[in-house]
């Protein structure tokens, strides 16, 4: 679960499985902008420094990758 979308400051993520998760933010050209490692089920990512636009968030958990799209306003 990823919310709010669009986002202005903090992106909230709920990981129902818990454990360690690695998040990587990319722009639409594929440039890696940030990587964060979090532990637990609920996480917040500060995206206030990103320019307005569309981004991809890749979440790696237990060797499984899920990609989300979010809009920074």
């Amino acid at each position: 679960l990823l919310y709010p979308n669009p986002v202005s400051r903090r992106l909230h993520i709920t990981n129902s499985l818990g454990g360690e998760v690695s998040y990587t933010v990319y722009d639409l050209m594929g440039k890696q902008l940030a990587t964060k490692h979090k532990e637990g089920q609920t996480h917040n990512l500060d995206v206030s420094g990103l320019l307005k636009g569309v981004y991809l968030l890749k979440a790696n958990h237990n060797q499984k990758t899920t990609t989300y799209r979010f809009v920074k306003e």
Side-chain angles (χ1 to χ4, degrees), residues 20-33:
E20 185 177 334
V21 182
S22 173
Y23 296 105
T24 306
V25 178
Y26 296 90
D27 65 16
L28 290 182
M29 299 300 290
K31 181 179 177 186
Q32 182 177 327
L33 303 174

Side-chain angles (χ1 to χ4, degrees), residues 32 63 71:
Q32 182 177 327
Q63 299 180 0
V71 176

Side-chain angles (χ1 to χ4, degrees), residues 8-21:
S8 59
R9 298 193 55 83
R10 292 213 174 263
L11 192 59
H12 303 282
I13 305 159
T14 302
N15 170 17
S16 61
L17 301 175
E20 185 177 334
V21 182

